[in-house]
């Protein structure tokens, strides 16, 4: 079975710093893959390479068997790769509904001329986008806040909205960058259940970057471990947990591994 | 049944009101109720409202800082005046004038393409400098073209901009820009302002969005320039200098960024203020820039920033979803 996503000798330099070095890994369809590693290991850079925000210095990225290197981030997004950001990046002054619609919009086939003249074609699509986005928001209990500014939501709701916005793209691959950041263990546990439900409901493949170890161990089918941009271990959660190389990398920085 | 009637009534109400406005503006000058001065002020408000709402598209909705709007205006003014003065002075006005205004808009819109393309990679201060350079290129270029009178400008332009035409183009500008900002391209433009990286990651084609914003914005600046030329009856390159751009900037930032109502408000207030300041002579040139400084300090988003009156929005945005399900049994 071919992988949904594959990276081949992926490398990214920032000046003299090698943020990602020679990384070859694959993500299988429908799995939840954890990516862990100490601060500065290159996890976020890995996502930025996958989503086209930075071009790789060398190496290749295959999505559904085709190279996506050199595509614009928006093109990659429209192929079905959605993400959230480590530091929430909502459209803060736009409403919750508009945030969701912007992601949904990429699927609306109408031209700038339709938009400028508000032709029937544009109007039908607009209605469709409002209805579909509201449905999605209601599914995530954000419907009552549809007209509030995204920036006014509570931290937890903002995190949730960022995931909903990513789902409005109708992705096959969802990249989550520390969705539990700033949450206490109880909230992280709730998020774990939530993500498991989302994974099933939307038939997703998920790559999860997370520091909450309990969550990663509970949720992930497989885990890859990065340190200084290099893959130092990988495998089933139990194998990774027992790997002395991983324990060492973590003891050096965080000092605990459940 | 009566519910259906109300619905159709309000659906067409805006069009009816706008059309009535056109008739009123066409008839009123002939009745003698409006003297020349009042007509001049009304036309100026309409032209400035077009300038303001079109600049607002780039500076407000997209959050860039263009200072080149007077340059696009100049292109529209000169292109249309060349048609009415040089090329077809004998053509019937009723046909020639709308075509001249349209062509003025198109010439300016074309000039918006390179600026839009430059905005793909350049943002913020650097893009502001590019628009300043554009303004200077247009002004110096016009000064060096003998055909249009060089620095002395074009004289003897027929006075074709009536209150009705100004009103008509103003309605067109607001309608089109409203359509745009409440479309997927408009949301893309706003998303670029809020967070360009996130916009890209959510599939927004930022290049298309930027091009659409710049071309639409400069098109209407050109339309306003054409109306302006046929209001004042003479234009020269220094009518379109950085001060003209500043005047439009004040309207945008006073009325309110990313707001249709704010654009109307800003244009109205600034136009009337400029008229009241006439006795100050050249000192009034100090007042507007000073006002801009105060605005930036104390109310950077303006009076109506990021808000709008409901009657200016498409119905679909003001009608809550609940109403839709309430209506469902009717059909
Ligand atoms: N745009 C950039 N320019 C220069 N250096 C960068 C850039 N982005 C990341 N880096 C560097 O690359 C390294 C990896 O950073 P990255 O953000 O990918 O780490 P991370 O694994 O996500 O860390 P954290 O757990 O703290 O989020 C760091 O040393 C960082 O300083
Ligand atoms: Mg990170």
């Amino acid at each position: 079975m071919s992988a949904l996503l594959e990276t081949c000798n992926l490398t990214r330099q920032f000046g003299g710093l090698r943020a990602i070095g020679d990384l070859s890994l694959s993500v299988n369809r429908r799995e939840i893959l954890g990516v862990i590693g100490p601060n500065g290991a290159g996890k976020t850079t890995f996502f930025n390479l996958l989503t086209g925000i930075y071009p790789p210095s060398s190496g290749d990225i295959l999505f559904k068997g085709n190279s996506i290197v050199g595509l614009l981030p928006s093109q990659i997004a429209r192929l079905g790769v959605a993400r959230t950001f480590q530091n929430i990046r909502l459209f803060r002054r736009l409403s919750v509904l508009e945030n969701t619609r912007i992601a949904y919009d990429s699927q609306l086939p109408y031209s700038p001329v339709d938009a400028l003249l508000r032709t029937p074609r544009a109007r039908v699509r607009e209605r469709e986008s409002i209805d579909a986005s509201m449905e999605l928001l209601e599914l995530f209990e954000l419907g009552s806040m549809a007209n509030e500014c995204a920036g006014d939501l509570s931290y937890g709701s903002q995190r949730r909205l960022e995931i909903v916005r990513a789902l409005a793209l109708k992705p096959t691959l969802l990249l989550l960058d520390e969705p539990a950041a700033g949450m206490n263990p109880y909230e992280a546990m709730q998020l774990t259940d939530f993500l498991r439900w989302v994974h099933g409901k939307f038939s997703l493949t998920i790559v999860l970057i997370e520091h909450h170890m309990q969550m990663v161990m509970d949720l992930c089918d497989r885990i890859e471990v990065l340190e200084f941009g290099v893959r130092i271990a990988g495998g089933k959660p139990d194998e990774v947990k027992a790997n002395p190389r991983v324990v060492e990398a973590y003891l050096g920085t965080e000092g605990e591994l459940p | 049944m009566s519910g259906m009637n109300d619905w159709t009534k309000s659906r067409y109400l805006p069009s009816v009101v706008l059309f009535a406005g056109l008739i009123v503006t066409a008839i009123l000058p002939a009745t003698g109720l409006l003297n020349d001065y009042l007509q001049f002020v009304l036309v100026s408000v309409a032209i400035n409202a077009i300038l303001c709402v079109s600049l607002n598209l780039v500076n407000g909705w997209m959050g860039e800082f263009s200072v080149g709007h007077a340059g696009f205006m100049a292109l529209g003014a000169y292109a249309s005046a060349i048609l009415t003065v040089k090329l077809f002075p004998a053509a019937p006005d009723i046909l020639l004038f709308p075509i001249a205004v349209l062509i003025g808009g198109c010439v300016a819109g074309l000039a918006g393409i390179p600026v839009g393309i430059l905005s793909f990679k350049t943002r913020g201060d650097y893009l502001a400098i590019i628009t300043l350079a554009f303004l200077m290129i247009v002004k110096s270029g016009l000064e060096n073209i003998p055909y249009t009178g060089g620095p002395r400008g074009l004289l003897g332009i027929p006075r074709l901009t009536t209150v009705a035409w100004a009103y008509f183009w103003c309605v067109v500008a607001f309608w089109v820009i409203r359509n745009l900002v409440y479309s997927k391209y408009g949301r893309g433009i706003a998303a670029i302002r809020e967070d360009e990286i996130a916009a890209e990651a959510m599939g927004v084609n930022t290049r298309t969005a930027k091009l659409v914003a710049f071309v639409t914005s400069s098109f209407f600046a050109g339309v306003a320039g054409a109306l302006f030329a046929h209001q004042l009856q003479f234009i020269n390159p220094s009518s379109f200098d950085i001060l003209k751009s500043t005047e439009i900037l004040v309207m945008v930032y006073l009325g309110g960024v990313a707001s249709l109502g704010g654009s109307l408000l800003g244009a109205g207030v600034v136009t009337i203020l400029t008229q009241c300041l006439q006795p100050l002579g050249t000192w009034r040139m100090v007042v507007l820039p000073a006002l801009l400084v105060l605005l930036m300090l104390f109310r950077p988003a303006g009076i109506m920033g990021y808000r709008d009156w409901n009657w200016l929005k498409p119905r679909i945005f003001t009608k809550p979803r609940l109403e839709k399900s309430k209506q469902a049994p009717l059909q």
Side-chain angles (χ1 to χ4, degrees):
Chain A
M1 198 191 86
S2 78
L4 179 66
L5 182 92
E6 252 175 305
T7 68
C8 314
N9 306 315
L10 194 63
T11 301
R12 173 70 208 202
Q13 295 284 144
F14 289 113
L17 179 88
R18 183 170 267 235
I20 290 287
D22 233 12
L23 188 65
S24 297
L25 52 80
S26 63
V27 185
N28 300 319
R29 277 173 208 274
R30 297 286 283 115
E31 79 174 337
I32 302 184
L33 175 70
V35 175
I36 62 171
N39 291 112
K43 306 179 295 293
T44 299
T45 305
F46 176 56
F47 274 11
N48 287 340
L49 292 171
L50 295 184
T51 50
I53 290 176
Y54 302 141
S57 306
S58 64
D60 203 359
I61 305 166
L62 302 178
F63 180 65
K64 295 181 178 167
N66 302 314
S67 174
I68 53 170
V69 170
L71 295 186
L72 292 172
S74 56
Q75 292 172 316
I76 295 174
R78 270 173 275 149
L79 286 177
V81 182
R83 70 173 290 180
T84 65
F85 294 90
Q86 185 170 351
N87 320 305
I88 304 174
R89 294 192 124 181
L90 289 170
F91 308 120
R92 296 182 59 85
R93 272 175 300 203
L94 302 183
S95 71
V96 169
L97 179 61
E98 283 167 321
N99 268 271
T100 316
R101 291 186 68 190
I102 284 164
Y104 190 86
D105 280 345
S106 58
Q107 299 141 51
L108 295 181
Y110 69 82
S111 71
V113 176
D114 285 318
L116 290 164
L117 303 179
R118 203 168 178 81
T119 58
R121 191 200 329 233
R123 255 182 274 178
V124 167
R125 296 303 181 175
E126 286 287 296
R127 181 83 258 172
E128 168 196 321
S129 118
I130 290 183
D131 289 347
S133 304
M134 275 309 291
E135 201 173 307
L136 198 60
L137 285 174
E138 262 150 30
L139 188 63
F140 289 89
E141 285 156 22
L142 286 165
S144 58
M145 302 173 201
N147 292 320
E148 274 173 52
C149 272
D152 294 342
L153 298 188
S154 70
Y155 180 80
S157 301
Q158 290 195 16
R159 282 258 172 233
R160 183 184 287 249
L161 175 58
E162 225 197 6
I163 295 174
V164 176
R165 183 180 69 173
L167 291 174
L169 258 173
K170 305 219 177 119
T172 26
L173 177 63
L174 179 62
L175 310 174
L176 300 170
D177 197 346
E178 302 198 21
M183 291 186 181
N184 62 37
Y186 174 71
E187 289 166 326
M189 216 175 71
Q190 283 186 316
L191 182 67
T192 305
D193 293 338
F194 172 74
L195 289 178
R196 198 175 280 132
W197 174 76
V198 168
H199 175 250
K201 169 108 186 149
F202 294 86
S203 312
L204 289 169
T205 306
I206 295 180
V207 181
L208 172 74
I209 296 177
E210 196 39 78
H211 282 298
H212 280 72
M213 276 314 138
Q214 193 58 54
M215 185 171 164
V216 176
M217 297 296 162
D218 287 352
L219 207 53
C220 297
D221 304 306
R222 233 158 33 88
I223 296 173
E224 300 279 2
V225 190
L226 298 185
E227 191 189 25
F228 299 118
V230 180
R231 179 178 180 276
I232 56 167
K236 295 252 180 292
D238 290 337
E239 298 163 20
V240 167
K241 204 157 35 172
N243 188 320
R245 190 73 189 76
V246 179
V247 177
E248 189 196 323
Y250 264 84
L251 283 177
T253 56
E254 309 234 315
E256 39 119 13
L257 199 65
Chain B
M1 231 29 231
S2 70
M4 290 288 266
N5 271 337
D6 287 347
W7 182 82
T8 35
K9 231 186 259 168
S10 53
R11 168 107 171 72
Y12 296 106
L13 188 65
S15 323
V16 170
V17 169
L18 290 174
F19 190 71
L22 186 62
I23 292 175
V24 169
T25 50
I27 291 174
L28 214 52
T31 61
L33 288 172
L34 286 177
N35 61 28
D36 275 3
Y37 177 68
L38 274 179
Q39 289 187 35
F40 176 84
V41 173
L42 280 180
V43 168
S44 302
V45 169
I47 293 175
N48 284 337
I50 298 173
L51 288 168
C52 184
V53 75
S54 56
L55 181 62
N56 214 334
L57 192 53
V58 169
N59 286 37
W61 275 283
M62 197 154 79
E64 288 297 348
F65 196 85
S66 166
V67 297
H69 218 49
F72 295 114
M73 192 186 169
L75 293 176
Y78 271 85
S80 63
I82 287 172
L83 284 170
T84 55
V85 177
K86 301 268 183 185
L87 299 179
F88 307 103
D93 294 340
I94 188 73
L95 253 170
L96 179 63
F97 188 48
I99 294 174
V101 174
L102 208 57
I103 289 182
C106 291
V107 169
L110 279 178
I113 294 175
V115 180
I117 289 173
L118 287 168
S119 78
F120 290 172
K121 287 273 157 78
T122 323
R123 301 211 51 173
D125 307 349
Y126 296 100
L127 188 60
I129 292 169
I130 286 175
T131 60
L132 181 62
F134 166 79
L135 177 63
M136 288 159 84
I137 291 168
V138 170
K139 188 168 174 267
S140 317
L142 290 172
E143 275 167 357
N144 287 298
I145 299 174
Y147 181 66
T148 52
R152 290 186 44 234
L154 256 175
L155 301 159
I157 305 171
R159 191 168 152 198
L160 300 176
T161 307
T162 58
V163 182
W165 272 125
Y167 170 85
F168 170 78
W169 284 106
C170 188
V171 169
V172 170
F174 273 82
W175 181 71
V176 168
I177 289 176
R178 180 205 72 154
N179 289 348
L180 178 62
V181 299
Y182 289 102
S183 75
K184 73 165 186 169
Y185 298 96
R187 284 188 294 280
I189 288 166
I192 291 172
R193 172 193 76 213
E194 293 296 310
D195 190 327
E196 190 164 351
I197 296 211
E200 287 260 352
M202 293 305 125
V204 174
N205 187 336
T206 55
R207 295 182 177 195
T208 311
K210 287 175 177 182
L211 262 185
V212 171
F214 268 102
V215 171
T216 310
S217 168
S218 51
F219 173 87
F220 282 111
V223 165
L227 296 172
F228 177 81
H230 294 81
Q231 178 198 27
L232 288 193
Q233 298 181 267
F234 99 98
I235 47 174
N236 62 21
S238 42
S239 321
F240 309 101
D241 57 3
I242 187 77
L243 259 172
K244 188 74 205 174
S245 283
T246 311
E247 196 184 316
I248 312 167
L249 287 170
V250 174
M251 295 179 211
V252 170
Y253 292 98
L254 176 78
V257 290
S259 167
L260 296 162
S263 303
L264 211 52
L265 210 63
V269 170
V270 171
T271 312
I272 289 164
L273 197 66
T274 338
Q275 290 303 317
C276 298
L277 292 175
Q278 289 295 347
L280 288 183
T282 43
W283 275 100
R284 71 175 194 281
M285 307 288 195
V286 178
V287 176
L288 283 186
L291 193 58
L292 190 57
V293 173
L294 289 178
L295 277 172
M296 288 294 162
L297 282 176
F298 296 109
R299 208 176 161 97
I303 300 170
M304 296 270 296
Y306 306 111
R307 289 181 293 134
D308 240 318
W309 293 309
N310 272 344
W311 59 270
L312 284 166
K313 301 176 187 172
R315 292 169 50 78
I316 198 174
F317 286 85
T318 54
K319 208 169 37 165
R321 240 174 78 90
L322 270 178
E323 255 180 54
K324 194 196 157 215
S325 46
K326 263 192 234 152
Q327 275 179 8
L330 263 177
Q331 285 148 15

